[in-house]
Amino acid sequence: MPIDVKDLSFSYGKGKAATSVLKDVSFSIDKGESVGIVGKVGCGKTTLIKHLNGLLMPDSGSVTVDGMPSSRKDICKKVGILFQHPSRQLFCTTVREDIAYGPKNFGIHGDELIKCVRESVKEVGLAEGIPDRSPFSLSGGEMRLVALAGVLSSSPDYLVLDEPTSGISKSGKSNLFRILRDLKDGGIGVVLVSHQIEDVLDLVDRLICLENGEIAFEGTPSEYLRSVPSPVPQITELMRGLKLSGIDVRDDVFSVDDAFAEIHAAWSKTTGNI
Ligand code: ADP
């Protein structure tokens, strides 16, 4: 069963001071799929994901996770959220204690706890020695991996990452996406939230675009690129430009590798070179 969001509406504040942020939002997310939630800063993405693990409750509508209402306390065991600033999710003296914090709170102790921590450390590929260090002695990329391990140690069925690529290097992003791909292949539902569509396209099966708290588009990345004029990644804009100039290339690609293959094929056709 999936995460099911039905007709969710939410405002901050009450009465005349209420600011409506989410309006009749409905969608679902299955285990083993990856979904991007994208939209401009301030459109309601963070507010929306806080409803997925019970940090916020809808004013109207409902959120259920595998049939459980989001008001249940143990919902946060099913849906792990990694917020934008990992340092704010870390607070223990050592990385190991930080990773153990979640499962310990859910009543896991002794050998089972040690196993949970060991597996999470392995899943995110933390280098030897890091578990015994202070989380605050680490680089931004390492802190994000530790925060991710801290969420994974509670064995969530769904993982939500808010602006996961902010402040990390290109190689850090590749490493993180490789881990997320493995988690998705292992059956976890992965949700990536970003204000920049190109940050998530590499990984997601489906996109949900929010505009002023409403869903403006839902579909595959290819459907998005074929039907939505903007915003699109720069590489897609380049391909659209080439196509408009009469060069026979697909204009729904967004990765450098796919763009290269398209341009190479078009060039080979023109020159007869393979
Ligand atoms: P996004 O994640 O897309 O940038 P947010 O969900 O953070 O958007 O914010 C949506 C709107 O809700 C913004 O106008 C923001 O100022 C407002 N908002 C966010 N958090 C609060 C809060 N705790 N109290 C009042 N307004 C808030």
Side-chain angles (χ1 to χ4, degrees):
M1 274 200 278
I3 294 183
D4 233 328
V5 176
K6 275 203 189 110
D7 303 323
L8 163 60
S9 294
F10 178 80
S11 301
Y12 285 109
K14 295 284 167 239
K16 280 188 184 159
T19 314
S20 164
V21 176
L22 297 172
K23 297 148 204 147
D24 283 326
V25 173
S26 297
F27 61 88
S28 64
I29 295 165
D30 274 310
K31 291 190 188 105
E33 88 167 324
S34 54
V35 175
I37 297 179
V38 296
K40 288 184 188 153
V41 172
C43 72
K45 303 180 296 298
T46 306
T47 304
L48 175 59
I49 61 171
K50 284 182 174 172
H51 282 83
L52 303 185
N53 79 344
L55 287 172
L56 289 175
M57 287 295 142
D59 292 337
S60 61
S62 65
V63 178
T64 55
V65 180
D66 299 340
M68 272 167 54
S70 61
S71 52
R72 276 203 26 187
K73 268 202 168 144
D74 48 351
I75 207 84
C76 56
K77 185 174 179 332
K78 281 192 153 291
V79 183
I81 301 188
L82 189 65
F83 286 104
Q84 182 174 359
H85 301 288
S87 58
R88 294 187 197 158
Q89 256 172 293
L90 304 171
F91 43 85
C92 293
T93 316
T94 65
V95 165
R96 194 184 303 283
E97 286 169 65
D98 242 312
I99 298 174
Y101 186 84
K104 225 170 156 177
N105 261 355
F106 291 120
I108 294 174
H109 298 283
D111 287 350
E112 205 187 336
L113 182 62
I114 292 171
K115 189 168 162 242
C116 274
V117 173
R118 198 185 299 132
E119 279 174 4
S120 304
V121 164
K122 198 170 157 208
E123 263 175 321
V124 305
L126 285 183
E128 211 178 311
I130 287 190
D132 296 313
R133 284 172 58 184
S134 158
F136 303 103
S137 69
L138 305 176
S139 71
E142 287 167 337
M143 273 194 200
R144 194 173 300 264
L145 291 181
V146 171
L148 176 59
V151 173
L152 291 176
S153 59
S154 297
S155 309
D157 294 316
Y158 303 90
L159 178 66
V160 183
L161 299 99
D162 197 3
E163 304 284 351
T165 59
S166 99
I168 59 171
S169 62
K170 199 168 171 235
S171 65
K173 178 181 169 182
S174 313
N175 184 38
L176 177 65
F177 275 27
R178 187 188 47 72
I179 296 165
L180 296 178
R181 224 167 261 128
D182 285 349
L183 292 169
K184 170 178 129 75
D185 291 345
I188 292 185
V190 176
V191 181
L192 299 184
V193 178
S194 180
H195 67 287
Q196 277 189 314
I197 188 164
E198 48 254 80
D199 283 349
V200 304
L201 277 176
D202 280 351
L203 191 82
V204 300
D205 305 318
R206 196 152 54 86
L207 278 172
I208 293 171
C209 303
L210 273 191
E211 244 175 59
N212 298 320
E214 292 179 88
I215 294 186
F217 172 89
E218 188 175 353
T220 64
S222 290
E223 283 164 353
Y224 176 90
L225 295 176
R226 280 199 299 268
S227 61
V228 179
S230 75
V232 295
Q234 283 184 328
I235 206 83
T236 311
E237 276 178 28
L238 169 73
M239 299 304 277
R240 284 180 178 177
L242 290 174
K243 190 161 187 162
L244 275 177
S245 333
I247 298 169
D248 182 20
V249 286
R250 270 174 50 208
D251 60 357
D252 63 346
V253 299
F254 50 83
S255 75
V256 172
D257 288 350
D258 287 348
F260 177 83
E262 282 293 308
I263 294 167
H264 186 262
W267 177 77
S268 301
K269 244 193 265 171
T270 312
T271 63
N273 290 329
I274 305 290

